[in-house]
Amino acid sequence: MKTINRILLVLIIILQVSCSTSKTANGSAVSASKTNKKITVYTTAENTNLRLSLSDNLISNSAAQQTKSTVSITLDADKTDQVFLGIGGAITDASAEVFAKLSPKKQQEFLTAYYDKNKGIGYTLARTNIHSCDFSSDSYTYVAEGDKDLKTFNIDHDRKYRIPLIKNAIETAGGKLTLFVSPWSPPAFMKDNNDILHGGVLLPEFAQSWADYYVKFIRAYEKEGIPVWGLTIQNEPMAKQRWESCIYTPEAERDFLKNFLEPTLEKEGLSSKNVIIWDHNRGDMLTKRANLVFSDPAVSKYAWGIGFHWYETWNGGTPKFESVGEVHQAFPNKNLLFTEGCIEKFDASRFQFWGNAERYGLNMINDFNNGTVGWTDWNILLDQNGGPNHVGNFCFSPIHADTTKDELIYTPMYYYIGHFSKFIQPKAKRIMETISDKKLISTSFKNSNDKIITIVMNQSDNEIVYTLINHNSQNTITIPAHAIQTIVY
């Protein structure tokens, strides 16, 4: 009996030793506990029912599956970059007007979908317009025409639709939403073309009145219980549009910030508000604005960072991600914020067009990998016609409402954004990583609770097996064709 017990003991020891190590792809020994470190995978994929779905069945660390791996993603968790601010979308007049047409049940579903951290995708960032923009039912301001002293200033217009929606969003988000505000144009009487639309420039004699206008707006919103975290100086300052717009040369924007806006914010006790310059497209002008403002210490101290959009591709070009990286490298102490992007040219037959979602994934991953701290989508909600919009500039949003049927339409874009916003937490730090093949693209963050979040995207027509490596741990995962995954570990 003793002999049998000894034999059993030896067999157990041998079994324990043989199970305690395994070989990595490069042949080095790694402990099984590290190789099989608990990870969770969520997947959204075209031509499947996977929508932010738990999909741990796509993890396989078998030797056979490892040999199929064609791509490796290697993280260096000790090397970090920018601190994450948040992800969200714009709460415009259009979004608020459509929201008001929904039944209470659908309104709650919508709020949960975007702002609930557990049941939804956990938006933490928001943008809203200072008086009207193209995504308003009409043009309006907060003062009577010609009121230079702003004695008639009031935000009664916003109390009907927009302010209630913003308050509901804040409540659903747990009581906090990082909100920044943007003007599309000063009132007509303050501009050289006497028109709130079609570009024009701010007249010098109204610069102080316009700076005071920002202050009155911020104070009015905060009196409503809506904290304002920051502001951009001007939406798209180099675009003459058929809707609300105003032109600022780089020098004009710099001088308005230095001589009027920031001194006024300081005088009114609002110097803690974060000022964002540019708020227009990537490309040469992004770097030019950054160089002009951030290289001047007298002005740079007033600017938290620089905002940008993705519409530089309007004439058929490619996204200028490199310009974002150039600014980040040149001014690492300044912040880069994506302030607007949408799928233009609305077409109701393309609600479920997968390429729209992949455009989001491509842009978000590349922007984050080039140093962006936060990412703000355009309208959070539009109707079945891509509006309302007072100049017919209809577009897509991640969720649409069919107001005739009281239905919400979730596009693939909603789920792709959710792969980032649901898992990366404010104050997370981006982790440096390398990827062995351009078949996939990826970005990674470490949350303050030490959880690592890796987002992987496959734009190809074939499923791909890849290996995710972090120090001495590795896992082999399959990503379907035209899919995005979030790995939490």
Side-chain angles (χ1 to χ4, degrees), residues 11 20 34 87 138 150 158 165 178 183 208 288 305 315 318 321 328 343 357 368 403 423 443 446 455 476:
L11 288 172
S20 66
K34 290 183 178 179
I87 291 171
D138 56 4
L150 312 182
D158 297 4
L165 176 54
T178 300
Q208 185 57 57
K288 185 173 182 179
N315 59 354
T318 58
F321 300 124
H328 181 53
I343 304 297
F368 285 131
T403 57
F423 302 100
T443 192
K446 178 186 277 189
I455 294 100
T476 303

Side-chain angles (χ1 to χ4, degrees), residues 38-45 48-60 419 423 466 476-480 483-487:
K38 176 61 179 176
I39 68 171
T40 303
V41 177
Y42 299 86
T43 304
T44 295
T48 72
N49 61 358
L50 297 174
R51 297 294 182 271
L52 269 171
S53 303
L54 186 63
S55 44
D56 287 353
N57 60 303
L58 296 174
I59 307 168
S60 176
H419 273 273
F423 302 100
Y466 65 95
T476 303
I477 304 167
T478 299
I479 183 168
I484 190 168
Q485 289 180 326
T486 301
I487 301 94

Side-chain angles (χ1 to χ4, degrees), residues 307-359:
F308 62 94
H309 302 179
W310 74 11
Y311 308 115
E312 73 274 11
T313 60
W314 68 272
N315 59 354
T318 58
K320 304 296 184 183
F321 300 124
E322 66 278 3
S323 66
V324 180
E326 288 168 2
V327 172
H328 181 53
Q329 291 178 14
F331 305 100
N333 295 323
K334 292 297 181 181
N335 299 282
L336 285 143
L337 178 64
F338 184 84
T339 48
E340 184 186 319
C342 73
I343 304 297
E344 314 92 327
K345 298 180 181 178
F346 178 77
D347 179 352
S349 69
R350 294 167 74 85
F351 276 131
Q352 302 304 323
F353 177 60
W354 210 259
N356 289 347
E358 293 188 329
R359 182 178 174 185

Side-chain angles (χ1 to χ4, degrees), residues 130-414:
I130 298 177
H131 62 231
S132 64
C133 65
D134 48 332
F135 279 90
S136 304
S137 290
D138 56 4
S139 294
Y140 66 92
T141 71
Y142 302 124
V143 295
E145 188 67 12
D147 180 12
K148 179 179 181 179
D149 297 326
L150 312 182
K151 292 179 180 179
T152 58
F153 188 97
N154 74 79
I155 56 167
D156 287 347
H157 178 282
D158 297 4
R159 291 191 175 97
K160 187 174 182 181
Y161 298 120
R162 187 146 49 107
I163 286 174
L165 176 54
I166 294 173
K167 287 182 176 180
N168 282 326
I170 292 172
E171 181 181 2
T172 309
K176 182 182 179 182
L177 204 57
T178 300
L179 174 70
F180 67 98
V181 301
S182 304
W184 266 242
S185 172
F189 71 88
M190 294 187 183
K191 298 168 64 181
D192 69 340
N193 64 346
N194 197 34
D195 186 356
I196 195 172
L197 315 178
H198 308 113
V201 301
L202 177 67
L203 291 166
E205 59 265 35
F206 291 107
Q208 185 57 57
S209 291
W210 185 225
D212 293 338
Y213 202 99
Y214 295 80
V215 169
K216 284 187 174 290
F217 177 82
I218 292 169
R219 289 210 183 283
Y221 262 59
E222 295 196 332
K223 189 175 180 181
E224 293 287 329
I226 300 174
V228 175
W229 169 86
L231 63 153
T232 71
I233 297 173
Q234 168 64 43
N235 176 72
E236 299 185 347
M238 290 301 289
K240 179 182 178 180
Q241 307 283 22
R242 65 182 188 273
W243 53 86
E244 289 83 347
S245 47
C246 184
I247 305 298
Y248 285 81
T249 65
E251 293 77 14
E253 185 179 34
R254 176 199 63 193
D255 293 345
F256 178 69
L257 172 60
K258 179 180 179 181
N259 299 324
F260 295 97
L261 183 58
E262 189 58 38
T264 303
L265 292 172
E266 287 185 352
K267 178 184 175 183
E268 296 295 330
L270 297 175
S271 59
S272 63
K273 304 305 178 186
N274 298 284
V275 178
I276 300 162
I277 65 169
W278 187 225
D279 197 10
H280 205 160
N281 295 333
R282 306 186 194 98
D284 294 341
M285 285 301 298
L286 175 71
T287 55
K288 185 173 182 179
R289 293 271 166 153
N291 289 333
L292 184 72
V293 175
F294 298 157
S295 296
D296 183 346
V299 188
S300 180
K301 62 183 179 180
Y302 300 139
W304 172 86
I306 187 166
F308 62 94
H309 302 179
W310 74 11
Y311 308 115
E312 73 274 11
T313 60
W314 68 272
N315 59 354
T318 58
K320 304 296 184 183
F321 300 124
E322 66 278 3
S323 66
V324 180
E326 288 168 2
V327 172
H328 181 53
Q329 291 178 14
F331 305 100
N333 295 323
K334 292 297 181 181
N335 299 282
L336 285 143
L337 178 64
F338 184 84
T339 48
E340 184 186 319
C342 73
I343 304 297
E344 314 92 327
K345 298 180 181 178
F346 178 77
D347 179 352
S349 69
R350 294 167 74 85
F351 276 131
Q352 302 304 323
F353 177 60
W354 210 259
N356 289 347
E358 293 188 329
R359 182 178 174 185
Y360 272 79
L362 175 72
N363 277 266
M364 294 180 80
I365 288 172
N366 279 282
D367 283 339
F368 285 131
N369 284 345
N370 279 288
T372 300
V373 302
W375 215 90
T376 323
D377 187 35
W378 189 207
N379 301 277
I380 56 171
L381 178 67
L382 294 172
D383 65 17
Q384 65 271 22
N385 302 310
N389 184 293
H390 70 84
V391 290
N393 182 34
F394 303 120
C395 71
F396 283 97
S397 60
I399 300 177
H400 285 260
D402 187 329
T403 57
T404 64
K405 299 178 181 179
D406 193 35
E407 292 179 352
L408 293 176
I409 303 166
Y410 294 84
T411 73
M413 297 177 288
Y414 167 80

